Structure formats: structure tokens, C-alpha cells
Amino acid sequence: MHDYLIDMLECPICHGALTWRVVEYNADRIQEAEAQCVECAATYPVREGIGLFLTPDLPRDDLWEQAASQLILYLRDHPEVERQLMDAPLDTLAPVDQFFRALVLEERGEYDRAKVAKGLARSGLYTPEYLACHESQINYVVEHLTASNGPIVDLASGRGYLVEALARRFRRPIVATDFSPRVLRRDRRWLEFFGLYDRVSLIAFDARRTPFKDGTVETLTTNLGLPNIEEPGRLLAELRRIVSGIFLAISHFFPEDDEANAKVIREARLDPLLFRRSALDSFTAAGWQVQVANVCKGKALPTPRSELLEGAGIDALPAAQTMLEWCVLVAR
Ligand SMILES: C[S@@+](CC[C@H](N)C(=O)[O-])C[C@H]1O[C@@H](n2cnc3c(N)ncnc32)[C@H](O)[C@@H]1O
Ligand SMILES: [Zn+2]
């Protein structure tokens, strides 16, 4: 993480000030450090350039940790499956297996080949309408960020689809965040490989309990981060606390009467932000003024399952065919 962030950060548990002991710098990037809260004495390390601001109290379902370790263990136990996954011509694999091949290629540092596999997987996993509506939202966010020069903080960045688009387009500082340190380490290697890491800082924290001081985030973005956060509860109030400018949230909503998907959404405790009306009500209740921009509707289907790895899949939603309403929520 870059050292300008020191002025923006505080203790995510008690909002106390932090004292910093920086052990290693690389130009203006902090590589190794320890921050300690002057109030509650909690400590937060920076390791290999990644700030770790996770708190022990929030349960964390780190799917990246689970998926990557399960895939690697499975392939270690099934070398014949590994051979098929890695050696068959790419276009003969099922889309989700192309995606799994990309994960393995990334582990091996073969990022060019991983990018090709990932691109092909996307076109087989999602309907053309899904991809077109999604692309339109990414473009909308990029177009609406041109005015200012301050840092862009991206929430629940995952594998960094939006972060990469922003880093390719802007010279502005970008902060990629996620509660999975594993996915951030993967993002660092990926961005380094493509020469995009220079202006990107990486910080691990739970979006429901961020380490930012009040009003220090001028621009907040997220690409489908909100629908992935379980039990969002006070999430939007926490984001209201830290954002002084604009929050652009790429979102998609399920139809109100889509019972098949609603059941899965409720079971996963994701319901408040996956339906338009309750999402807008939640924003308003948390003190935001929110507008729905760039609406685009398209058919979405459950993503097809693996043919090599015992029916493994990647997205739990949609669980049944549906019509998603895509948009950017523009909140101030
Ligand atoms: C699938 S990604 C969304 C796409 C991603 N923003 C992109 O542009 O590529 C969703 C991410 O949300 C993260 N996540 C889920 N719950 C979270 C939370 N409470 N706080 C922070 N990140 C969270 C997951 O680890 C996952 O990486
Ligand atoms: Zn504290």
C-alpha cells in the first residue's frame, strides 16, 4: 500500500488513531509495517505490500481461499484429471473448466495463457446479454470517473475485473480491497505481470467494518461487490461514514416475483441488495441519495457445471433462468 493511505486510515474496531512502524519501504510504497491502535492496542500488519485490516469478530467465508486450495488438493490427488484440464485443447473444455485451467495457470505464473483461458471461459459461462449489460456498466463507471484526480477506492474487488479496467484507463491512484488476502495476493501478481501495479494499493478488510476515517474516501466504486456481501446489515451506513464524494456501485437486480432465485438469495442472506426496491430503501435508510443509472436488462442462466471436476460450479446465482436488471447505483 502507498504511504498516502496512512492519513486516511484508523482502527477498524474502535476508530482509534494508528501509530505506524514501517520496516520496509519501496519508493512511496509501504512493503512491511505494523500499525497499532492507540486506543485498543489492536495491531494491523502490512505484509508484502498488502495492508491487513481484518478484525477477528466478523465471520468470513473466504471462498477464494477455499476454492484455490480445494482445486489444488483435488488435482494433486487426481493427476489424470489435471492432465485433461491442462493438456486438452482449450476450446474442447467446458467453460467452467477453462476457468479452472486459468486458476491453475495463475498459480504457475503463466498469466498470458491464464488471460486467454479466462476470456474464453467468460464467453461460455454467461449469456451475450449478460456480458453486454455488464460491459456497459463498466464503461459507464469509467466514463463517470474522469473528472477528479484523487484515489479511487474499490470495494470487494475480487479478481479485479473493474480494478484492471480502471488501472488501464487512469493515471489516478487506485485502492483494491477485499476480505480475502489470498485474492489480493493474486491481484498483486497479476497486476505486476501486466505492468499495472504502480498506482494500485491493496488492502484487506471487511466492507462492513472498514479502516477508513470519516469522509476520507472521495470516490468509491464496486463491481458487483454489494450482492456478494452476506448479511449486509450496517454495510451502507459504514460506507456512508467514509465516503465524502460519490459511490458508483455496479449492480444487478432480480425480478420481485422470481421465487426460484429468491429462495436461494434468502438462504444465502443476500436479499437486501439483490432486489431493486429493498436495495434503494436500504441506501436511503443509511442516509444516501441514490439514483439508478444506465439500466440494461438481459437474460441470465445458471452457469454450466464442470465436466472434469465432479460437477463443480462457480456462481451460485442465478439458480434458475431469469431476467436481470443491470445498472449503476450512483449514490452521494
Ligand atoms: C466476485 S467479486 C465481485 C467482482 C469483482 N469486484 C471484480 O471486479 O472482479 C466479490 C468479492 O467480494 C468479496 N467479499 C465478500 N464479502 C465481503 C465482505 N464482507 N467484505 C469484503 N469483501 C467481501 C469476495 O471475497 C469476492 O472477492
Ligand atoms: Zn482500536
Side-chain angles (χ1 to χ4, degrees):
M1 51 170 268
H2 291 82
D3 56 6
Y4 72 82
L5 282 161
I6 284 184
D7 290 338
M8 297 170 67
L9 295 174
E10 65 177 21
C11 175
I13 298 174
C14 76
H15 302 293
L18 300 172
T19 51
W20 286 81
R21 191 172 63 84
V22 179
V23 179
E24 188 188 335
Y25 268 108
N26 183 356
D28 57 354
R29 194 190 289 276
I30 299 171
Q31 288 289 97
E32 300 286 330
E34 192 124 281
Q36 182 163 37
C37 175
V38 297
E39 303 290 340
C40 75
T43 57
Y44 305 97
V46 179
R47 295 279 174 267
E48 297 170 61
I50 302 177
L52 300 168
F53 286 83
L54 297 162
T55 60
D57 57 321
L58 291 178
R60 181 154 39 96
D61 204 3
D62 185 339
L63 298 175
W64 295 117
E65 197 64 65
Q66 295 159 25
S69 32
Q70 276 169 14
L71 178 62
I72 288 157
L73 288 178
Y74 185 89
L75 294 178
R76 196 174 296 158
D77 290 347
H78 300 83
E80 71 299 344
V81 177
E82 171 157 16
R83 260 194 307 280
Q84 280 174 285
L85 184 69
M86 303 311 291
D87 297 344
L90 184 61
D91 56 5
T92 63
L93 293 180
V96 69
D97 293 324
Q98 294 167 341
F99 180 79
F100 289 141
R101 184 192 282 193
L103 291 185
V104 176
L105 289 168
E106 285 178 11
E107 290 287 328
R108 297 181 182 172
E110 295 187 49
Y111 296 105
D112 278 328
R113 292 183 63 206
K115 198 174 174 76
V116 173
K118 198 175 81 163
L120 198 61
R122 250 180 94 69
S123 63
L125 283 167
Y126 302 107
T127 62
E129 300 100 296
Y130 183 106
L131 293 171
C133 285
H134 190 197
E135 208 49 38
S136 165
Q137 309 312 321
I138 299 271
N139 291 338
Y140 182 92
V141 168
V142 169
E143 293 313 317
H144 280 74
L145 286 176
T146 38
S148 144
N149 286 317
I152 302 167
V153 178
D154 186 59
L155 209 66
S157 303
R159 292 163 51 80
Y161 193 76
L162 178 59
V163 165
E164 183 172 345
L166 296 174
R168 287 189 188 279
R169 173 66 190 264
F170 296 118
R171 299 220 44 78
R172 294 170 66 169
I174 298 166
V175 187
T177 74
D178 202 282
F179 73 3
S180 170
R182 181 176 194 120
V183 85
L184 294 178
R185 283 195 293 273
R186 174 265 171 210
D187 291 344
R188 185 191 57 216
R189 294 191 297 263
W190 178 272
L191 293 166
E192 275 172 348
F193 183 87
F194 291 105
L196 298 168
Y197 185 49
D198 261 15
R199 280 158 292 109
V200 180
S201 286
L202 302 168
I203 308 188
F205 61 78
D206 192 305
R208 296 166 295 179
R209 183 157 302 164
T210 81
F212 289 104
K213 294 179 188 166
D214 293 5
T216 48
V217 177
E218 199 188 306
T219 309
L220 185 70
T221 58
T222 187
N223 170 29
L224 297 180
L226 301 183
N228 277 290
I229 295 171
E230 278 178 19
E231 298 193 64
R234 283 191 43 79
L235 167 72
L236 292 173
E238 170 65 356
L239 302 182
R240 177 68 290 188
R241 180 184 73 75
I242 64 173
V243 174
S244 57
I246 194 169
F247 177 25
L248 298 171
I250 296 178
S251 303
H252 56 36
F253 298 127
F254 286 77
E256 297 285 345
D257 57 359
D258 178 351
E259 233 349 275
N261 284 300
K263 190 165 169 292
V264 180
I265 291 168
R266 275 195 303 268
E267 278 165 12
R269 294 164 301 176
L270 294 168
D271 32 322
L273 299 175
L274 275 174
F275 295 97
R276 181 186 176 128
R277 196 163 358 132
S278 61
L280 295 181
D281 288 349
S282 304
F283 268 83
T284 309
W288 292 94
Q289 288 191 324
V290 61
Q291 285 173 324
V292 180
N294 201 42
V295 172
C296 174
K297 285 192 183 178
K299 183 171 87 172
L301 294 170
T303 48
R305 307 238 133 211
S306 168
E307 286 168 7
L308 291 177
L309 291 124
E310 295 178 348
I314 49 168
D315 293 346
L317 288 167
Q321 177 175 331
T322 191
M323 185 65 79
L324 288 178
E325 181 187 38
W326 291 79
C327 66
V328 175
L329 295 178
V330 182
R332 291 186 167 82

